[in-house]
Every structure is written in C-alpha cells, then in structure tokens.
Amino acid sequence: MDFDNREDIVVGRVKAITDRLDGLYEADLYFYNQPVTELRGGARVLVKGRDMGMYASYSYLGLIGHPRINKAAKDAVDRYGTGTHGVRMLAGSLDLHKELEETIAEFKGAEAAITYTSGYVTNLTVVSSLLGRGGYVISDKLNHASIVDGCLMSGAKFLRFRHNDMEDLESRLKNIPEGATKLVVADAVFSMDGDVIDFPKIVELSKKYNCWLMIDEAHSVGVLGKTGRGIEEHFGMEGTIDIKMGTLSKTIPSVGGYIAGKKELIEFLSHASRAYIFSAALPPAQAAAANEAFKVILDEPWRMEKLKANTDQFISGIQERGFDTMETSTAIVPVLCGDDERAFALTRAAQHHDVFVLPVVSPAVPPGLARLRATVTAAHEPDEIEYAMNVIETAGKEIGII
Ligand SMILES: *Cc1c(COP(=O)(O)O)cnc(C)c1O
C-alpha cells in the first residue's frame, strides 16, 4: 500500500494531515507530541534536555509525583503485580477497585461509583448504555469530544444547544415530544475555554422538563468547590446531578474515568456497559494511585487555596498585559491569538524561553479563535508565573497580538 499513487478516502484523509504537518515542521512551528523526559518537582519538566516551566498540565493540584501517591502505586505493584486477570466482571476485579469506587462515591457525595479505564471511554459507554433510539440527548455545543462521540454512538436524537446558552437549551427542551426520555449533558468547566456551566439554571431546566442530568467534571474536580469536590460544592447545590462523570487523569494523577450516582444506576452500568464488560480492568498501580489522590486532596486543603491564588494571578496578569482570555475563571486560561499561525508563533517563542505551553487551533476551536491554552497549577510559584507571563507578553508584542 502506498500513499503516493492512489486516491481514495483514506489517502485523502492521511494527506490532509501530513501536508499540514510538513508545513509546520519546515517552519519550526511544530510542538505537539514532545516527550517529557523527567519530572522536576511539581511544575517543572525536562524536555529536549531543557528545564521548562509546565503551563500545559491538567495536574491542577500539582499531585503528579506526590510521595504518598507514588508509594501507594508502588505498594500496589508489589502486592498485585502490574495487570489484572481480565475484565472487571469476570476475574479482573481487585479489592483495590472496590476501595477506589467507595472513595469516589464518598468524595462525590453519591451512593456508589464505577470506574473505567479512561474518561473518554466512560462517556462513550455510559451515554450509549443509557440511551438508544427513541431517546433524546441535549448537549452543549462545546462539550468534550468523548461526550459527542457517546451521543452519536447511542443512536438517540442528538440535539445541541448554543454554548452555555440556557435560553437556547430551554427552546430545544420545549420542542421535544411529551413523554420522551431526555438526557441533558454538559461539561462543568469547558476544556478549551475554561468557563463554568450555568449550573443553577441547567439544574432548574432539567427538573422543569423532567430530564436526566449528566455533568462531566474532568476539569472541575480539584478545581471548583472549597474542598475540591467539584461543581455541586461550588454552587452549594449538593445532590443535584444524576450522573456525575469524572476522569482520573487530570487532578487525579492516574488514568481512568468514573461515574458516581445512585446504587441502581451503578449496578446497571456494571452489568450493561460494554466498556466495563469487554475491556480490561484498571491496573493495580493506577487504581491505588487514584484512591490515594482523593485522600491527599482532602488532607492538603492548601493546594486548593494555592490553585485559586495562582489562577487569579495568571488570569488578571494576562488580561492586564492586553490579552483576551475569553470567559475563563478557572485554571484553563485561553490566551487568544487569532489565526493559527500566530498561535504557533507565540508557542515557539514561549518554548524557546522555557515556558512549556501549547496551542489549540482549528478544527479543535473555530477558525480565528486559535489560542494558547495555558494552565496553572497549585505547584507553580508566583515568581515563576510572573516570568511566564512576561515571556508571553514580550512575544505577543513581537507577533502583533497585543
Ligand atoms: C479529558 C477529558 C475527558 C477524557 O478523559 P480521559 O481520562 O483523558 O480519557 C472527558 N471529558 C472532558 C471534559 C475532558 O476534558
């Protein structure tokens, strides 16, 4: 098979990407897929032999490399080895999984929880297990790709409302036939823009129109709420989400995804969701690390306070320097650049000054809204953040963004 002497859908798709990449390689504007070769404390990494400040991490509370979490993972390897005996339902379940699920349920204020091997697969399998033909799923336009894929896979009628626009959501709900099963689904914190869903209103509308409510807390656990429990705690509205989804790969420095909710829901998912039945269990080290991480969050409340202070410093500092940060109020800070080329150029300048930050360009965001998608964590120190902002400012001026 070769790509040069053939024309079909596969070749068309492959070439569209490889041609774009070749242009970026030639212009020294390619910064994706760079391996980190060493962790240097919480907020620094070694990349290509250079010590860099990390401003593209999802480890919002700086828990990657935490001694207690590392130890839990190592102990789990000593006790259980590195894999399981297969899928959870058959021989793959460990007491560690049960412990983790109890920890999650308690942390999220739910009766029970179930874990999967990624957040992506969690959304895919859960939306498609709950709904099928005849159902309706109503999803925010900017929801994560895994939600979109889950909705498509479910076969339910897939409606999208304008981003965080509750009037638009209501007008869609009004038009759904009486008696139909409805699932409203949204991110708590949006992964590209960093803004927070209008939670009180989405809860109110879900109740008014008799919908199931599912919220993806990938970027809100360990970010929102006084103790980091997420969006319900943030708004003082505990117990309002039916299907609480989250990931174990962001604030929780492991891998995996979970759903927390009523006992019946979890029992259903553990006997009917295909990713649980047909895909291997979380490895012991990752389950143990995740379990310990939830405890560390509660034991070290200073991390939440420091994240909040660092977020405020970073958002206000970037805005004062003249950048547009859209509607963010969280640790995800879009630094708007305009066209893709400017976002790539700003990335190159930042990385050349040892600020590890990455661009998001179309089609991940609309054309003209290319940006740096910068993040701060509890592991950064104020002077490091100041340095990073100064680097971004100088480069932003040279490129003509500010
Ligand atoms: C990252 C992310 C996921 C996927 O989680 P993984 O554990 O990385 O697969 C799902 N939803 C949102 C909103 C995310 O940001």
Side-chain angles (χ1 to χ4, degrees):
M1 296 288 272
D2 96 50
F3 290 95
D4 291 327
N5 299 308
R6 213 181 146 111
E7 269 188 51
D8 65 7
I9 294 172
V10 173
V11 171
R13 290 187 164 182
V14 169
K15 286 228 162 200
I17 296 290
T18 50
D19 289 351
R20 193 172 178 199
L21 290 175
D22 286 344
L24 292 174
Y25 297 144
E26 261 167 46
D28 183 27
L29 288 174
Y30 183 86
F31 291 94
Y32 299 119
N33 292 305
Q34 293 186 86
V36 167
T37 51
E38 202 180 297
L39 189 62
R40 296 244 162 135
R44 302 198 75 79
V45 288
L46 199 66
V47 177
K48 285 190 194 149
R50 283 163 61 173
D51 181 69
M52 299 179 97
M54 170 55 94
Y55 292 88
S57 174
Y58 300 140
S59 183
Y60 298 118
L61 293 179
L63 295 179
I64 297 183
H66 192 291
R68 262 174 70 185
I69 299 171
N70 282 4
K71 179 167 189 308
K74 286 176 192 164
D75 289 350
V77 171
D78 288 343
R79 183 152 169 215
Y80 302 91
T82 53
T84 64
H85 300 279
V87 304
R88 286 291 301 282
M89 199 168 166
L90 301 178
S93 281
L94 305 172
D95 50 359
L96 270 182
H97 293 119
K98 293 284 165 204
E99 240 179 275
L100 170 60
E101 286 162 353
E102 280 167 22
T103 300
I104 293 171
E106 194 179 305
F107 189 87
K108 293 303 298 169
E111 286 179 5
I114 182 173
T115 52
Y116 297 92
T117 43
S118 82
Y120 179 86
V121 90
T122 302
N123 278 331
L124 219 60
T125 204
V126 170
V127 177
S128 61
S129 301
L130 291 172
L131 286 182
R133 228 163 269 140
Y136 284 75
V137 58
I138 310 96
S139 166
D140 187 286
K141 265 249 166 72
L142 293 192
N143 275 349
H144 191 261
S146 55
I147 298 177
V148 174
D149 292 356
C151 296
L152 292 171
M153 193 171 140
S154 74
K157 271 254 180 342
F158 180 25
L159 309 177
R160 284 186 251 204
F161 60 95
R162 278 200 297 274
H163 173 51
N164 218 353
D165 182 336
M166 294 299 131
E167 275 176 32
D168 196 39
L169 170 59
E170 182 156 26
S171 74
R172 293 191 193 258
L173 291 173
K174 269 187 187 147
N175 287 326
I176 297 174
E178 190 88 21
T181 303
K182 303 179 276 296
L183 173 71
V184 170
V185 56
D187 289 5
V189 170
F190 288 86
S191 54
M192 295 296 153
D193 292 17
D195 55 338
V196 179
I197 190 78
D198 183 348
F199 189 64
K201 195 73 194 173
I202 206 169
V203 167
E204 184 195 316
L205 290 176
S206 298
K207 282 206 181 109
K208 181 171 169 191
Y209 290 90
N210 203 21
C211 308
W212 296 94
L213 178 62
M214 174 167 172
I215 300 288
D216 178 333
E217 298 228 56
H219 299 282
S220 56
V221 163
V223 174
L224 294 184
K226 190 162 189 309
T227 63
R229 285 181 156 89
I231 194 153
E232 289 182 337
E233 184 184 29
H234 180 72
F235 285 99
M237 295 173 64
E238 279 80 359
T240 43
I241 304 172
D242 299 309
I243 303 149
K244 305 170 192 230
M245 182 271 167
T247 169
L248 304 175
S249 69
K250 287 174 178 142
T251 294
I252 305 298
S254 182
V255 72
Y258 66 82
I259 296 289
K262 291 266 188 220
K263 265 208 308 280
E264 294 88 337
L265 172 73
I266 302 309
E267 187 142 273
F268 162 74
L269 291 173
S270 58
H271 295 88
S273 56
R274 292 164 79 85
Y276 190 86
I277 302 172
F278 295 109
S279 187
L282 268 184
Q286 300 317 122
N291 186 50
E292 193 66 18
F294 283 102
K295 298 181 176 173
V296 170
I297 294 175
L298 298 179
D299 289 346
E300 300 182 359
W302 63 266
R303 290 179 182 273
M304 284 298 299
E305 283 159 34
K306 189 149 172 232
L307 176 63
K308 181 88 182 65
N310 286 351
T311 299
D312 291 347
Q313 182 193 351
F314 193 57
I315 294 176
S316 61
I318 287 287
Q319 283 176 351
E320 279 159 18
R321 286 166 171 80
F323 289 99
D324 182 349
T325 59
M326 305 178 75
E327 300 293 318
T328 187
S329 58
T330 68
I332 299 169
V333 182
V335 180
L336 217 55
C337 298
D339 56 34
D340 293 358
E341 281 61 37
R342 286 177 172 201
F344 288 128
L346 189 56
T347 302
R348 179 172 60 190
Q351 294 223 0
H352 284 181
H353 289 90
D354 300 330
V355 173
F356 191 96
V357 69
L358 287 167
V360 185
V361 298
S362 68
V365 292
L369 293 181
R371 66 196 68 173
L372 297 189
R373 179 168 169 276
T375 55
V376 271
T377 75
H380 290 111
E381 294 305 329
D383 59 335
E384 290 178 311
I385 296 173
E386 209 59 31
Y387 170 80
M389 293 193 298
N390 289 340
V391 164
I392 292 170
E393 178 184 17
T394 307
K397 282 182 181 153
E398 275 166 23
I399 298 160
I401 300 167
I402 49 171

